[in-house]
Amino acid sequence: GKHRIVIPCLGHFKEEYEKVSKQYMNNKIRTTRYTLLNFLPRNLFEQFHRVANLYFLFLVVLNWVPLVEAFQKEITMLPLVGVLTIIAVKDGLEDYSRYKMDKQINNLVTKVYCR
């Protein structure tokens, strides 16, 4: 018949548990979108999929052309940089709260009922 080996993750069984558990996928929940390494590039990629941000970027690039320059180059960049910064901070805080909730859920103690 079928049998199952259960190894507790406690005490002197911890090394054996870690060795056996590497063979299987874990069941941790991860709802975050970003990591520390990919936050900036991925966030900018997502933000420039919005038409309004592309419009402001177009105005910034257009203002760097000397024939079309209407304002100082730095002033044209302020709205775009401001909006990108505010949205990035908002996304970062939301993702951090998701990370904390995932960590809390993944560390809950569970009970296993058998017949």
Side-chain angles (χ1 to χ4, degrees):
K2 295 181 179 180
H3 67 282
R4 182 175 77 162
I5 299 173
V6 178
I7 302 170
C9 181
L10 301 170
H12 60 279
F13 293 110
K14 192 163 181 86
E15 289 180 15
E16 186 177 358
Y17 171 80
E18 289 174 357
K19 184 175 66 173
V20 171
S21 66
K22 288 181 182 177
Q23 299 172 2
Y24 303 101
M25 294 291 296
N26 64 19
N27 62 349
K28 289 186 177 183
I29 295 172
R30 183 175 178 265
T31 59
T32 57
R33 286 190 283 177
Y34 308 110
T35 63
L36 288 175
L37 294 176
N38 74 0
F39 175 75
L40 190 61
R42 190 167 181 186
N43 187 268
L44 288 174
F45 178 76
E46 289 177 6
Q47 287 193 44
F48 282 115
H49 272 79
R50 298 183 181 136
V51 177
N53 291 343
L54 286 174
Y55 172 74
F56 283 114
L57 180 65
F58 174 72
L59 289 179
V60 168
V61 171
L62 191 62
N63 201 37
W64 282 86
V65 177
L67 294 173
V68 187
E69 183 179 351
F71 303 107
Q72 291 179 348
K73 297 172 186 168
E74 296 80 16
I75 292 176
T76 312
M77 292 173 54
L78 285 178
L80 180 64
V81 171
V83 168
L84 293 179
T85 303
I86 290 170
I87 293 174
V89 168
K90 178 192 68 85
D91 288 346
L93 291 174
E94 286 177 356
D95 210 52
Y96 181 68
S97 66
R98 279 192 220 109
Y99 167 76
K100 287 193 318 186
M101 186 62 72
D102 291 348
K103 190 173 181 181
Q104 182 182 12
I105 290 172
N106 288 330
N107 290 325
L108 286 176
V109 176
T110 59
K111 294 183 180 180
V112 177
Y113 293 100
C114 298
R115 291 185 182 183

